[in-house]
Each structure stands twice: as structure tokens, then as C-alpha cells.
Amino acid sequence: MSNPINEKGNTRQSRLLFKKIYDGLDEFSLLSNELKGTCEVGQLIEQGYEQQSQNGVILQDAYIGSSASPSSQLFVESQDEGGDFTSVYFRSDDEQRTLMSGQTLLSSMFNATSLNTVVDLHTADKPDDILSPYSLEKACPRLHSLREIAESSKEYLEGKRNENAKFLTSLVEDDLKFKDPKSIVNGHVMDCQLTAICSDRFLPKAIDDFTHDNDDSNFTYLFDFGNWLYTFPFTFKDAMFAKQFTSFLWSDLLRRINEQKYKFLLYSGHDDTLIALLASLEIWDGAWPPYASMFVIEIYKKDGDSNVLSQTVFRLLFNGVSITHRLDNCHEELCDISVLRSHLSSMANLTKACDDALDSAQANNLEMLAIEVTPPVQIFTVVLIASVVILSFANFSFAPSGQESSLHDHSSIALRKDYGSVNPSHN
């Protein structure tokens, strides 16, 4: 938008600054603001900014300049003023914390200080985006029906109604004063638990008893219960819900891989985006991702003298630790690309079935149709952090990076596989 021009033909520039003051309801005792100031619900806070900055440094060391090994160097040097970002693709949903997470990570990764460099940010309307299962359910009847089928299963209903569940539900309603009975199922209680404990904020007395991961505290039992309720559909019946949800994202990634246009692609999403991607590959361990976690998929094109199975191989890492061996038919840190193609191609084709809602009988016999996926000529790396997914391209041979993330917080509490037998204290 250009500045207005006055009657003399001179450009006028706005000089006023405005301070927003949230006092418009102060005179009404029955009304109040949820937040006072310019903060938004779910906004990226300072600790998150610092974590994403650190992730950028970790990725810079792994892929940029002299700090990167010759085999994994994607960029010769950081892109600053005048840098060429045409080989970088940045995708986020239209939410403040995901947008800011990706912007912060990229700025740190490329050591950007200039305000003259513009990076395209690709996004979409939040209610219909493919980066959140709750958003996508509205546009995908099959996804919604798969959730309903999972949540009406005998296993789910028994876990939701047993004595432990009744105690924890009562704790949420009576002690924590949550008015919405769905607050545990939709993840709101977990959000409150994690944002409070990870930033040293107030916890109600009833759950202010956490000491360490997997302890016997009410805090941990409540978190485990919320985790189990929220993520149950993701792994139910061979992870059909997760595979249907991620079909759009896998399809988008495969398309951009085959375009061979970008060296580096960044997708900024949510914790349940990360859970769904891992679950769709059937490699999720049940633990809620810590803030700023990084899930990496690297694909390597071997040198002529490399001693590996085929011309192209891949590896998977979560927070710097190799998890390739969790995937079916992969037993080493490196695995043949045909295994990954087989998994992703079948899921990508599920986008075509999204309009078809299912009943329980159909869900039990769901068949996934495979499509042919052209293997990429170049190398790509996908990194998912609890707000961000990264995808990058390069031609290099395998060289372990050893880039373990040092970031950690209490959101790494693992889901108890024997949930039904937990025994919370009734203090």
C-alpha cells in the first residue's frame, strides 16, 4: 500500500503509534477479558522463540557452510542480504505460533540479519488446512468417521469409563474447575499442564506433585490419561486415522520432492501433526513430543564407492537419535528408499477417498490403493519439530551428523501402555 499524497503533491507518512489498552470491560462486573494486553491464546512465548533459535543453530551446523560435513552441505554459506531463497520452501498453517516458529528457525539457521531479504511463506485458511487433524476433519468425512469408529470401540470406552478414569475426570471438574467435559479429550488439560510446568508457572494443589518422568503423581496420571484419550484414534486399527489425515501432507511432500526445485523445505505444524506422521509410519512410541522436537527424514544418494544396498537410501531421526530401525523392513540406520516409497505412496493415495464416510464394517476392511511414486533424483531431509517440519534437498552420501538436540522439557512424559491399570492416589 502506498502512502497518501497531499494537495501539494508531497507524500505523507503516518507518524502515530497506537497503544492497545484492554480496559473496555472494566466497568462491568459480569464481563471480563480473557487476556489483558496484546497477547493471544496459543502464542509463541520467549522460551519457544529461544528453542526455535537453537534448532536453527543445530540445523546450520548440520547443513550450512564449513561447519557441515562435505557430504551433508546444502548451502555453501548463510543467506543474508541479497541471498537467494528461491531454493527454500516454507509452509505453515495460519497461526501465530507456527508462523513465528518457522520464521525464527529459518532466521537463525541462515543467520539472517538483513530486513531486505524476503522469503515466501506459503499458508492456507486455518479451518481447512492439512496440518491439523481437527481442522481437516471438517473437510474430510472419512477422517471424521474414522475418529468416531475409534472412539466407539470397546477398548476406548472401557478405558474412558473405568475407576481410574472416573477419578481423573472428577479431579479435572472439581479440583481444576474445568467446565467443559471434553477438556481432557480435546487436549486442553494437557496444554494447561505442559505450559504451566514447563515455564515454572502455578499448578493447582491437586496436581502440583510431579517429581520426574513416569512417577506416580496425579500430574503424570492425568497427563497419561489425556494423552491416551487424545491419541487413541491415531494408532487404532493399524493407524488408519493417522494415515488418512497425513495422506494430504505426504502427498504434498512427495509432489515437491519430485519437482526437484528446492534444496530445503520447511513445514511448520503442531505436536499432533508430528504424532500423526510418526503414527502413520507406525513408528510412534506413544510419548507426547517435547516442545521444539525435531523429526528428521534424510535421503542420501550414495557415491559410487559407497557400501550400501542401493543407489538411494534414507534414515529417520528423532531429536538427533536414529529411529530408522522402527520402520518395518528396516534393520539398520540406513534403509533402502523403496521401503519408504512403499509406505508413503499408499498413504498419499488416500486423499482420493476423503469424501467417503465409513461405518465400522467398512473400516474393518479398508483397503489402501497404492500409487506409483517417482523416486527423487536428489536428496531431501525432512525435519519436524513440535512446531516445524523441514524438508531439504542435496546430493550427498551418508555421513552421521550426530546433531542431537539439547532441548528438553517435561512434555516428554511417556504414555503408559498399561493405562487401564494405573492407580492414582486419591489425596
Side-chain angles (χ1 to χ4, degrees):
M1 181 182 295
S2 59
N3 290 313
I5 300 176
N6 65 16
E7 59 185 12
K8 295 182 180 180
N10 298 322
T11 300
R12 299 175 57 195
Q13 294 184 347
S14 300
R15 297 294 184 186
L16 292 176
L17 294 177
F18 296 86
K19 180 181 178 181
K20 187 186 291 185
I21 302 174
Y22 279 77
D23 60 358
L25 299 177
D26 286 356
E27 299 299 319
F28 306 100
S29 60
L30 296 178
L31 303 174
S32 64
N33 294 308
E34 185 172 6
L35 298 171
K36 295 183 182 294
T38 57
C39 292
E40 302 174 7
V41 175
Q43 189 171 339
L44 188 71
I45 61 175
E46 184 177 358
Q47 293 99 317
Y49 178 89
E50 293 170 352
Q51 288 180 314
Q52 301 296 14
S53 295
Q54 182 60 37
N55 275 342
V57 172
I58 291 171
L59 295 173
Q60 182 186 84
D61 291 342
Y63 299 120
I64 299 178
S66 58
S67 60
S69 66
S71 63
S72 62
Q73 187 184 79
L74 296 176
F75 300 92
V76 176
E77 58 186 14
S78 296
Q79 313 287 332
D80 202 345
E81 185 171 359
D84 181 12
F85 278 86
T86 57
S87 60
V88 175
Y89 179 82
F90 176 24
R91 170 75 161 90
S92 173
D93 71 1
D94 196 14
E95 196 161 313
Q96 191 274 346
R97 66 180 178 275
T98 50
L99 295 168
M100 192 66 182
S101 291
Q103 293 167 1
T104 303
L105 185 145
L106 282 176
S107 297
S108 175
M109 179 178 177
F110 290 100
N111 197 28
T113 57
S114 172
L115 296 178
N116 299 323
T117 302
V118 177
V119 179
D120 290 338
L121 194 168
H122 302 270
T123 189
D125 289 342
K126 182 68 169 64
D128 298 314
D129 208 349
I130 63 175
L131 293 172
S132 171
Y134 273 118
S135 295
L136 191 57
E137 276 189 58
K138 299 174 183 178
C140 182
R142 174 170 290 203
L143 187 63
H144 181 69
S145 64
L146 286 170
R147 178 187 290 279
E148 288 188 328
I149 290 168
E151 293 181 348
S152 62
S153 67
K154 180 180 179 181
E155 180 183 356
Y156 181 83
L157 293 176
E158 287 180 350
K160 187 179 179 180
R161 297 169 179 171
N162 62 27
E163 291 303 313
N164 294 322
K166 291 177 181 178
F167 164 74
L168 293 169
T169 301
S170 174
L171 183 148
V172 167
E173 295 175 355
D174 298 338
D175 295 281
L176 306 188
K177 307 301 182 183
F178 275 83
K179 298 178 181 179
D180 185 354
K182 295 183 179 179
S183 295
I184 306 179
V185 178
N186 61 23
H188 290 175
V189 173
M190 285 193 298
D191 282 342
C192 288
Q193 287 183 268
L194 294 183
T195 53
I197 200 168
C198 294
S199 55
D200 296 324
R201 298 178 186 275
F202 168 80
L203 278 170
K205 183 178 180 181
I207 59 171
D208 192 14
D209 55 352
F210 178 86
T211 57
H212 58 273
D213 288 357
N214 297 315
D215 65 6
D216 291 326
S217 64
N218 282 344
F219 181 97
T220 297
Y221 285 119
L222 180 58
F223 185 86
D224 287 347
F225 183 46
N227 188 347
W228 184 83
L229 286 173
Y230 187 91
T231 62
F232 183 87
F234 288 73
T235 57
F236 181 73
K237 292 288 185 183
D238 298 321
M240 288 191 298
F241 176 85
K243 290 170 182 175
Q244 182 68 65
F245 161 50
T246 58
S247 63
F248 290 88
L249 185 50
W250 287 128
S251 178
D252 190 69
L253 290 173
L254 287 169
R255 179 166 62 88
R256 302 198 185 283
I257 291 167
N258 291 333
E259 286 177 350
Q260 300 177 25
K261 178 180 178 181
Y262 301 102
K263 286 185 177 181
F264 192 85
L265 289 90
L266 169 66
Y267 285 73
S268 181
H270 301 271
D271 40 19
D272 55 5
T273 314
L274 177 56
I275 290 172
L277 287 166
L278 291 168
S280 72
L281 296 172
E282 300 186 50
I283 59 173
W284 184 49
D285 63 1
W288 196 269
Y291 294 130
S293 293
M294 293 198 290
F295 169 49
V296 183
I297 303 175
E298 294 178 337
I299 297 185
Y300 298 92
K301 192 172 184 179
K302 75 168 189 175
D303 291 337
D305 58 352
S306 292
N307 194 20
V308 291
L309 296 176
S310 68
Q311 189 67 23
T312 308
V313 293
F314 73 96
R315 69 168 176 169
L316 310 176
L317 303 99
F318 186 76
N319 286 340
V321 178
S322 175
I323 58 172
T324 315
H325 62 279
R326 294 184 190 175
L327 194 64
D328 284 348
N329 300 316
C330 291
H331 309 289
E332 306 292 341
E333 187 171 6
L334 288 175
C335 189
D336 193 283
I337 190 62
S338 63
V339 177
L340 186 63
R341 272 177 38 222
S342 176
H343 283 278
L344 301 192
S345 62
S346 59
M347 284 188 286
N349 199 49
L350 284 175
T351 58
K352 301 174 182 178
C354 210
D355 289 337
D356 301 325
L358 298 171
D359 58 31
S360 57
Q362 291 172 313
N364 289 331
N365 296 289
L366 180 64
E367 294 182 359
M368 295 169 55
L369 303 175
I371 58 174
E372 185 63 28
V373 179
T374 305
V377 174
Q378 293 181 305
I379 306 306
F380 75 90
T381 301
V382 183
V383 182
L384 300 95
I385 63 183
S387 276
V388 178
V389 183
I390 304 163
L391 179 67
S392 60
F393 288 84
N395 283 307
F396 52 85
S397 59
F398 170 69
S401 65
Q403 297 292 335
E404 290 199 25
S405 172
S406 61
L407 304 176
H408 176 75
D409 60 51
H410 295 306
S411 64
S412 62
I413 298 172
L415 170 67
R416 295 172 187 266
K417 300 297 184 182
D418 59 342
Y419 165 69
S421 63
V422 298
N423 183 30
S425 60
H426 293 246
N427 295 334

